[in-house]
Amino acid sequence: MRKFLSLMCLLSVVACAADETKVVPGIVPATVQETKIIKVMPNNIIGAVERVYLPPMKSAFLARIDTGATTSAFGADEVKQFERDGEKWVSFTIKNRETGETHTFEKPLVKEVTIRRAGENEQRLIVNMDVKMGGEKFKANFSVAERDKFEYQVLIGRNILSGRAIVDVSVSNTLK
């Protein structure tokens, strides 16, 4: 009997050692993508409201930092779609409510998306913009929105926040 139990233990150990199946926790994605970390401030912690710039405009916009929004957005007027060299483009004007600075942009249309909001869906145009936050300048997709009814003209979503910053809603205006 003792020999039988020893043999069973030995077989169990051999079977476990031979099994090279790798167990990956369910929260780890099947393919790991390299994330480029860009420091927007020390410790990468930003507040619920931060100042951002949309170059070439010189004055900053107060922006709501929204981890629930997939894509960033800004408020614009005189939004018009047009065609240039067979490509779809968008022209729009942004006026900073605080300073009155106005600039008209012409950008290639990246895509059109449907935004789901409480009670209604809204079609929005997506353009790629330069943005400056905390001394770092980069490009990001923004939806062109009507934000006259909102307190903040610019909304910073996960497409900018992911890999760049952690949001602490107890603070604001931490970026220079």
Side-chain angles (χ1 to χ4, degrees):
M1 183 68 147
R2 186 173 258 168
K3 286 183 181 181
F4 178 74
L5 289 175
S6 296
L7 181 62
M8 291 303 290
C9 286
L10 180 62
L11 287 175
S12 296
V13 170
V14 170
C16 289
D19 185 15
E20 293 184 16
T21 305
K22 293 182 181 176
V23 178
V24 179
I27 59 170
V28 175
T31 58
V32 178
Q33 296 178 351
E34 187 175 316
T35 303
K36 183 178 179 184
I37 305 289
I38 301 171
K39 290 189 176 185
V40 292
M41 71 166 289
N43 301 324
N44 292 353
I45 298 173
I46 64 174
V49 176
E50 294 293 346
R51 292 197 175 277
V52 298
Y53 295 85
L54 299 175
M57 296 183 78
K58 303 280 188 242
S59 55
F61 291 85
L62 282 178
R64 165 65 68 196
I65 308 302
D66 186 352
T67 60
T70 302
T71 306
S72 300
F74 59 80
D77 297 315
E78 303 170 27
V79 180
K80 296 178 188 131
Q81 289 189 63
F82 65 96
E83 196 169 299
R84 178 181 287 164
D85 299 326
E87 302 287 325
K88 292 181 180 182
W89 282 62
V90 182
S91 72
F92 51 90
T93 302
I94 300 177
K95 181 179 181 179
N96 189 315
R97 291 183 207 152
E98 290 180 11
T99 65
E101 180 184 4
T102 302
H103 187 78
T104 300
F105 292 86
E106 289 185 348
K107 297 284 185 179
L109 178 65
V110 173
K111 63 183 173 181
E112 290 184 55
V113 296
T114 301
I115 303 294
R116 291 180 190 89
R117 296 179 65 197
E120 62 184 55
N121 290 341
E122 180 182 337
Q123 287 296 117
R124 289 211 193 147
L125 307 174
I126 304 291
V127 296
N128 195 268
M129 298 281 289
D130 289 325
V131 62
K132 184 179 171 195
M133 254 176 86
E136 296 293 327
K137 187 176 178 183
F138 50 92
K139 292 185 178 292
N141 285 346
F142 281 82
S143 69
V144 181
E146 197 174 294
R147 294 191 58 84
D148 294 339
K149 297 175 187 173
F150 293 95
E151 184 176 353
Y152 300 97
Q153 284 182 268
V154 178
L155 178 127
I156 301 298
R158 290 191 309 265
N159 67 314
I160 289 178
L161 298 172
S162 183
R164 282 196 173 91
I166 298 169
V167 180
D168 180 352
V169 296
S170 69
V171 297
S172 287
N173 295 310
T174 62
L175 299 176
K176 300 288 179 198

